[in-house]
Every structure is written in structure tokens, then in C-alpha cells.
């Protein structure tokens, strides 16, 4: 370990919170998880700090996802030097594109090649009302919906990540996650004639930001302008119940989704990258 990188502990929490609040949109996921579990919890996640001059200036969250926080190229390289000493435990590296890709470039030889790299993912935000009318059919899911919602969630996951969430446990862990989001009121959907036409989740809530994840439209209804009014309803519900700023990130090659989000009123504020193992 270099002299400037060390594991953060409870006493570092205020300085870490300051870093996270420097960009609450980009670091919402880490903010939520550290608020829930603390720093260096028994749940397997760690947070490392970069102290180039004795003050915390960047951090690295290491859980199932690895997320660089306020990291310039020097910090990303310092974190990578430490990370190369241990085998990879994460399933992805995700975060602001420059830092995430710089970190991956430095650890790839030790951690192994990526299954998929998505280097350009616009980070979008809306903090006003949507610019299109809302679909009144969008509502929070209930546990009575789970047998319809779970297959739609599996389809979304497989389409987005290129692997099925049904392995290795038959989908038990993923079904628990779907159920958790339902119980939290964070799973939103449109069901018509016993079919899920649209779904999305408020996957993260922290520091005034609600991050939308898992947006999916049934393939038979794509191209029919289902997503714009449905996303407008998601924005309204998220702002009413969770946070005033609503965000999401999307692959740059998904032109249809980008156009839909922009019609709703989302604006780009940054760029993420995701490395999947």
C-alpha cells in the first residue's frame, strides 16, 4: 500500500460525506450504502481514502461494485496500485467515466479482462416537473404483482447486462431484491391485461437524489411512445415521495431511450462508465 492510501474508519465519516456531497448525483449509490451500513461494515464493503497531503481528497468504494469518488487520474492510479495486491471481488466498476476507466486500465492485468465495457453513459438529471403528460396507469407495485413483475425484471436484467440473474441460485437472490423494492414502494409499473408493459425502480435515494434504474418497456410495445408518459409519471412520483432531483444514466448507443428521456425533460450533467466482469 502506498503511504497515501488507507482504509477509512468511522472517524473519517465526516470527510467522506463532504466528498460525496461534492457531487450528490454521481455518488448517490455510495451515499445511500454508507448511510445504511457505515464505513468498513461487516457486510463486505470497504472504503479507501487517498491522502496526498494529509487530507482526504478522493475515495474508492469497494463492494459488489467499485466506485471511484472525486478521483483524479493520480488518485485512480494510487487506488489501482493498492487494488492490484488483492484478487477481484467486485462484479463491476462504475462511476464518472475518466476515473472509472483509468482505474480499470491499471487493474486489468491483475483482475482479469472485462466481460463488457460501456465507456460512455450520459448521466441525466431532472429537477423540475416533466415536460410531457404523465401516464395515469403508472403505480407502485404490490406484492400481488410480483409473479408478473419478476419475469419482466429478469428480461430487463438479461437484456441490459448480457447475463441472466437466474444463476447460480435459480434467481432467489434477485427475487428478494425485487420484493424489497416493492416493499419500499420503489418499484413502479404499468400492468395492462395481466401484462407488464412498463417498469422502473427508484433504485437509490440519498442526499436529495432519487436514481432511477431498471427502466424497461415490453418489446411488443416499443416504438409506441409508452416510455415518455410513463417516465413522466415516474419523475412525478419520485419527486413527491423520495427526492426533488431525479437522475439516471443510460448507454450512449441507446438512442431511443436518450431521445425519450430528453423529451421528458432530463438534461445531461456528466458521463459515467461501467466495466462488467
Amino acid at each position: 500500500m502506498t503511504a497515501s492510501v488507507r482504509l477509512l474508519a468511522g472517524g473519517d465519516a465526516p470527510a467522506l460525506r463532504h466528498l460525496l456531497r461534492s457531487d450528490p448525483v454521481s455518488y448517490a449509490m455510495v451515499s445511500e450504502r454508507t448511510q445504511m451500513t457505515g464505513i468498513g461494515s461487516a457486510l463486505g464493503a470497504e472504503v479507501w481514502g487517498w491522502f496526498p497531503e494529509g487530507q482526504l481528497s478522493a475515495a474508492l468504494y469497494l463492494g459488489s461494485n467499485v466506485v471511484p469518488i472525486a478521483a483524479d487520474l493520480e488518485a485512480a492510479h494510487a487506488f489501482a496500485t493498492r487494488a492490484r495486491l488483492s484478487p477481484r471481488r467486485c462484479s463491476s466498476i462504475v462511476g464518472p467515466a475518466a476515473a472509472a476507466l483509468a482505474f480499470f486500465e491499471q487493474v486489468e492485468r491483475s483482475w482479469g479482462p472485462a466481460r463488457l465495457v460501456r465507456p460512455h453513459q450520459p448521466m441525466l438529471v431532472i429537477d423540475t416537473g416533466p415536460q410531457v403528460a404523465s401516464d395515469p396507469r403508472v403505480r407502485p407495485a404490490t406484492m400481488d404483482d410480483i409473479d408478473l413483475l419478476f419475469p419482466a425484471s429478469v428480461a430487463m436484467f438479461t437484456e441490459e447486462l448480457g447475463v441472466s440473474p437466474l444463476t447460480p441460485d435459480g434467481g432467489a437472490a434477485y427475487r428478494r431484491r425485487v420484493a424489497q423494492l416493492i416493499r419500499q414502494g420503489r418499484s413502479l409499473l404499468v400492468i395492462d391485461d395481466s401484462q407488464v408493459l412498463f417498469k422502473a425502480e427508484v433504485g437509490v435515494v440519498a442526499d436529495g437524489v432519487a436514481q432511477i434504474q431498471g427502466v424497461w418497456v415490453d418489446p411488443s410495445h416499443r416504438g409506441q411512445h409508452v416510455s415518455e408518459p410513463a417516465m413522466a409519471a415516474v419523475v412525478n412520483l419520485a419527486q413527491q415521495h423520495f427526492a426533488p432531483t431525479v437522475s439516471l444514466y443510460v448507454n450512449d448507443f441507446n438512442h431511443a431511450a436518450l431521445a425519450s428521456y430528453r423529451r421528458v425533460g432530463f438534461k445531461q450533467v456528466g458521463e459515467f462508465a461501467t466495466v462488467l466482469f
Side-chain angles (χ1 to χ4, degrees):
M1 179 185 293
T2 68
S4 295
V5 174
R6 68 166 172 82
L7 182 68
L8 297 187
D12 299 303
L16 177 62
R17 295 295 303 153
H18 180 74
L19 280 186
L20 294 172
R21 287 171 177 159
S22 70
D23 188 348
V25 171
S26 293
Y27 308 132
M29 184 275 288
V30 177
S31 292
E32 182 182 62
R33 292 190 184 178
T34 54
Q35 286 170 16
M36 291 169 52
T37 65
I39 301 173
S41 74
L43 298 180
E46 296 179 347
V47 185
W48 297 347
W50 163 239
F51 296 82
E53 297 179 358
Q55 299 292 321
L56 180 67
S57 67
L60 189 74
Y61 177 88
L62 300 103
S64 58
N65 306 306
V66 167
V67 184
I69 302 157
D72 59 14
L73 294 183
E74 184 181 9
H77 290 172
F79 287 135
T81 299
R82 169 65 182 86
R84 287 197 298 266
L85 301 177
S86 302
R88 175 181 62 82
R89 295 181 297 162
C90 66
S91 60
S92 70
I93 302 166
V94 61
L101 295 173
F103 177 82
F104 171 61
E105 182 179 285
Q106 295 292 313
V107 299
E108 182 177 11
R109 182 172 294 182
S110 299
W111 281 14
R115 178 174 58 83
L116 194 63
V117 178
R118 291 177 170 162
H120 303 292
Q121 297 177 303
M123 172 62 78
L124 307 180
V125 161
I126 184 170
D127 56 10
T128 62
Q131 296 179 3
V132 300
S134 297
D135 186 338
R137 299 176 298 173
V138 175
R139 61 171 176 82
T142 72
M143 289 304 296
D144 289 340
D145 300 315
I146 194 167
D147 288 336
L148 292 177
L149 180 58
F150 183 67
S153 299
V154 169
M156 177 281 302
F157 188 103
T158 305
E159 182 177 339
E160 175 65 19
L161 300 182
V163 294
S164 172
L166 300 180
T167 56
D169 62 356
Y174 189 58
R175 189 178 177 97
R176 286 194 296 271
R177 173 59 175 165
V178 173
Q180 178 188 39
L181 289 166
I182 292 173
R183 294 189 183 101
Q184 292 173 328
R186 294 192 188 185
S187 181
L188 306 171
L189 48 62
V190 175
I191 293 180
D192 184 57
D193 195 24
S194 299
Q195 179 184 8
V196 175
L197 304 186
F198 169 89
K199 62 166 284 292
E201 290 90 44
V202 183
V204 172
V205 178
D207 290 339
V209 176
Q211 187 179 96
I212 306 304
Q213 301 173 352
V215 179
W216 182 83
V217 176
D218 180 83
S220 66
H221 288 76
R222 293 176 188 174
Q224 300 178 27
H225 298 288
V226 169
S227 62
E228 290 95 334
M231 280 302 300
V234 167
V235 169
N236 282 331
L237 289 168
Q239 290 176 336
Q240 290 167 14
H241 299 289
F242 297 106
T245 298
V246 179
S247 74
L248 56 82
Y249 57 97
V250 60
N251 296 314
D252 65 334
F253 55 80
N254 193 341
H255 302 296
L258 274 168
S260 173
Y261 298 142
R262 286 170 176 155
R263 283 192 288 270
V264 172
F266 283 88
K267 307 293 184 184
Q268 184 171 349
V269 296
E271 184 175 71
F272 259 35
T274 299
V275 178
L276 298 169
F277 295 101

